[in-house]
Structure formats: C-alpha cells, structure tokens
Amino acid sequence: MTIEIKAPTFPESVADGTVATWHKQPGEAVSRDELLVDIETDKVVLEIVAPADGAISEIIKAEGDTVLSDELIGHFEEGAGAAPAPEAAPAAAAEPAAASAEIKLSPAARKMVDENNLTGVAIVATGKGGLVTKEDVVKHLSHAAPAAPAAAAPAAPAPIMEMDTGDKIEKRVPMTRLRKRIAERLLEATSTTAMLTTFNEVNMEPVMTLRKQYKDLFEKTHNGVRLGFMGFFVKAACEALKRYPAVNASIDGDDIVYHGYQDIGVAVSSDKGLVVPVLRDVENMGLATVEDTIRSYGSRARDGKLGLEEMQGGTFTITNGGVFGSLLSTPILNPPQTAILGMHKIQERPMAVNGEVKILPMMYLALSYDHRLIDGKEAVQFLVCIKELLEDPARILLEI
C-alpha cells in the first residue's frame, strides 16, 4: 500500500518550509514512527515520521527544496523492506551508490561521492543516526591526499570549504531558515521601534538563601522539580506586569493592545539558534509549574522537539545571558512585544549597606523597552518593582 508523505500543516504565520535532512533513503527499511525527514521553518524544525513499517519508495522533494503546507514530498510503501542488492550484476558494473549502500548518505552527499569516485571509501559521519552529510564529504576531500590523475574526477559544484595559498580554511554554508528569521526580526526590532534600555542591580542573597533553605524539600514535594532562579524572575515579572500594564501591551498600527493576561516568553539557546517558547497564563502558574515547564522547554529546544504553537504569541520576554557568563548587555526587543528583561551573571561585589561594606551576590538587570509606548519613568519603576520583589521574595507570594 502506497502512502503519501506530506509536509506538515503550517500555521498562518509560517508561509513555507525547507527540506533539511532525509534520514532514510528509498528502499531502506524503517519501523513505524521512525524519523524520515526534517522540515525546517523560520521558527522550528518539524519532524515527519514513518506512518507504518515499510520503506520510502520515492523522494519528490530533495534536501534544500522549499515546500508548502501539506505539499507532497515523497511516497512511502507500507510493508516494504530494504531493497536487496543485485546479486547477478558483475562487480565492475556496480553503480557507485550501490557500493556505498553500507553507509547512509544524504542525497547531496551521495552526489558528491559519485562525482569524486569515493565509492567504498570510509567517510566520518556526523549526521543523525550515522548519516553522511555533504559537509562530511567535503571535509573528507579537504583532508585527503591529492589524487594522482588530475582529470580523474570532475570538480565538485559550489564547494562550501576552500583552502587558500596560506593554508587558511574557510567554510561557507547557507544560513538556515531559523537563522535568517532571527536576523530579520533583530533588524526589524532595531529599525521599527524606539528602543531604549534602562539598568538596575539586584541583591540575589535573599533568593539564594531561600533557595538553599528549601531546595531539597521543594524537589521532594514537587516530584523531582528543582528550584532554580528563573522561576523567581518569571513570577516577579508577572507581578510587575500587573502593576504596569503598558509594559505588557503591544502596538498594532495606531492602536495599543493591552493584554489582560501574562504570557511570558523565556529565551532558550539551541544548536540551531535562539528560540522563545512561551509560558501561558503565568499568573495562574505556581513556582514548581514554572520551573518544570522551563526545563521541559530547554530540553526539547536542544533536541529540536518544540512545536510551533509553543512559540506563538507572548506578551513579554525574559532572556538570561548570565548562564554564558554575561555581566551586562542590552537585550533586543521581540516584536510586537514592547519590553524584554535581561538577566546576567551573579557576581560577588563589595556593596555599601547601612554605612558598612559587605560582599554581596549582585546581578545587573536590563530592561529594553519601546519608548513609543513606554515612558522612561514607567520603565524605571517597572524594573525597580522587579528588584524589590526579588530582594524580598515574600512580596511575590503576598502580591505587595
């Protein structure tokens, strides 16, 4: 039974996608729910799995091709097994690709293997599940000894790695759709908003003391959920957004849209770029739920498992450069949101407290905001509110 392999149904905000990687080739046996192909959009990488046990019978859209929502990209034969190698064919007449069937090759890599007569050559694979990618072949060629006959193989088209006379290696690869979209949104934020940043600092000792006192009991009570710092910042931001609704608003043309809920995005770093999954209705979430959801988002972002719906919307964003050691930065807005909070590294510093010098764990906070909607006074007061809530965490619970 032949089954159509189609691209996923994209939401309205996603026009199309790109075939990133075929993990299985025609004739290769696969099991039900085994990964067939990755479709990359400008927000997330979507996976298409096998609908049943069988094999791909035809690939219509190759790697790098653009696909629309629900577009046909291949055919799948239910119940089919791996195509057996032809036994009667003489060894000299074997196709290069057939001789390379022992290793998994992407379509682009297979083409380069054929063009460079690399049949049967061991190439180090870096793709998922031992897949040899085009970049793996290029790397192998760049490190291999020069071939004896100069005209033995045609030149590979558009190499992505070159070496000049000074033995300096350059690597040229196309930007992913996600990276392109990140670039577009950053340029959009800087060119279409009146962005300013205000700074403050917060004494993290109260939160650290509270966390140290209750982290074991918290983890035991909430089924292994660990008590981190991000949950305190999310809940403090939620409370501050209630008090300063303009920071939670957005601009739509000539209108101001005030949101009666707090959907807070938390920036998460992945190998493919920065993504911002959204915590929905934070005002109704407990600290344990916040922490558990953030950890789930982080893990799934690194594995490429986040769904498009989990990154839609959001009324405010928090980004934490401190996990990478950043001491101070100016975060860029995430349109159409009008503010973003930047967390940074906790650094012990000498501070004046009641006429005495004390060593305290301090963190710089940065709030970037759209001055078209938020006045400087309101932005400063919002950031001071977060500072006060964190320096006296009981106020978060008491909402005072």
Side-chain angles (χ1 to χ4, degrees):
M1 175 182 177
T2 301
I3 302 173
E4 293 182 338
I5 306 174
K6 293 186 176 182
T9 302
F10 303 140
E12 293 182 3
S13 59
V14 177
D16 52 36
T18 300
V19 178
T21 306
W22 280 99
H23 296 280
K24 299 294 180 181
Q25 297 303 312
E28 186 177 352
V30 297
S31 302
R32 181 184 180 89
D33 295 330
E34 193 171 351
L35 180 60
L36 295 180
V37 60
D38 289 333
I39 305 295
E40 186 179 65
T41 72
D42 54 19
K43 294 184 178 180
V44 70
V45 176
L46 303 173
E47 297 180 341
I48 299 178
V49 300
D53 294 342
I56 296 174
S57 58
E58 180 186 11
I59 291 178
I60 297 175
K61 291 290 185 177
E63 292 180 3
D65 288 352
T66 300
V67 295
L68 302 176
S69 182
D70 295 320
E71 185 176 1
L72 182 66
I73 62 173
H75 288 101
F76 185 88
E77 196 68 31
E78 184 178 358
E87 298 178 0
E95 293 290 333
S100 301
E102 296 177 0
I103 58 175
K104 293 186 288 185
L105 297 163
S106 70
R110 185 178 296 277
K111 182 178 179 182
M112 291 193 68
V113 166
D114 295 345
E115 291 173 343
N116 291 277
N117 293 328
L118 297 178
T119 303
V121 177
I123 301 174
V124 178
T126 61
K128 290 183 178 179
L131 179 74
V132 175
T133 65
K134 178 181 178 181
E135 187 174 343
D136 295 332
V137 180
V138 172
K139 186 175 181 180
H140 175 83
L141 290 172
S142 68
H143 291 292
I160 61 172
M161 185 177 289
E162 301 175 355
M163 182 178 294
D164 67 12
T165 55
D167 292 335
K168 294 181 179 179
I169 297 176
E170 291 185 352
K171 181 179 179 182
R172 182 184 296 270
V173 296
M175 292 177 71
T176 63
R177 292 179 64 93
L178 178 59
R179 177 53 60 185
K180 286 181 183 178
R181 184 55 179 157
I182 290 173
E184 290 171 0
R185 288 183 65 81
L186 292 177
L187 288 174
E188 176 188 352
T190 55
S191 62
T192 63
T193 64
M195 190 172 68
L196 292 177
T197 304
T198 184
F199 302 94
N200 213 314
E201 58 184 357
V202 57
N203 174 16
M204 292 296 294
E205 188 172 57
V207 170
M208 294 174 72
T209 300
L210 185 66
R211 180 174 177 266
K212 182 178 180 181
Q213 182 179 355
Y214 291 106
K215 66 177 183 179
D216 292 337
L217 181 59
F218 184 91
E219 186 172 349
K220 181 180 179 181
T221 304
H222 297 289
N223 300 318
V225 177
R226 295 182 180 179
L227 181 59
F229 293 115
M230 185 61 80
F232 289 99
F233 279 87
V234 170
K235 294 301 291 182
C238 178
E239 185 59 32
L241 290 171
K242 295 177 184 177
R243 304 180 190 185
Y244 299 93
V247 183
N248 196 48
S250 58
I251 296 177
D252 184 10
D254 294 330
D255 297 329
I256 299 173
V257 181
Y258 290 96
H259 307 290
Y261 50 88
Q262 288 77 43
D263 286 357
I264 299 179
V266 178
V268 176
S269 178
S270 70
D271 293 339
K272 298 182 182 296
L274 196 70
V275 293
V276 188
V278 179
L279 300 169
R280 309 287 179 185
D281 300 315
V282 176
E283 66 275 14
N284 298 325
M285 299 174 71
L287 198 61
T289 305
V290 171
E291 290 285 359
D292 190 38
T293 307
I294 291 174
R295 279 186 170 76
S296 173
Y297 280 160
S299 174
R300 289 161 57 208
R302 287 186 291 272
D303 295 337
K305 303 292 186 181
L306 283 175
L308 285 169
E309 68 283 353
E310 293 169 316
M311 291 182 282
Q312 301 289 325
T315 61
F316 183 76
T317 295
I318 300 176
T319 180
N320 184 10
V323 296
F324 305 111
S326 172
L327 190 61
L328 190 63
S329 67
T330 54
I332 297 179
L333 292 175
N334 184 21
Q337 298 171 22
T338 53
I340 180 172
L341 176 69
M343 298 167 55
H344 298 91
K345 179 183 177 182
I346 299 174
Q347 182 79 39
E348 287 192 342
R349 299 202 306 272
M351 303 295 294
V353 181
N354 297 324
E356 297 180 356
V357 177
K358 292 187 177 182
I359 304 298
L360 297 175
M362 304 298 295
M363 177 192 287
Y364 286 119
L365 300 179
L367 180 76
S368 293
Y369 61 98
D370 192 342
H371 208 351
R372 295 179 301 165
L373 177 58
I374 304 170
D375 293 330
K377 174 185 175 182
E378 202 164 23
V380 171
Q381 289 177 330
F382 175 85
L383 196 56
V384 169
C385 179
I386 290 180
K387 167 186 169 69
E388 292 175 344
L389 290 169
L390 291 169
E391 291 184 340
D392 188 2
R395 298 178 63 171
I396 300 176
L397 176 63
L398 299 175
E399 298 182 353
I400 58 176

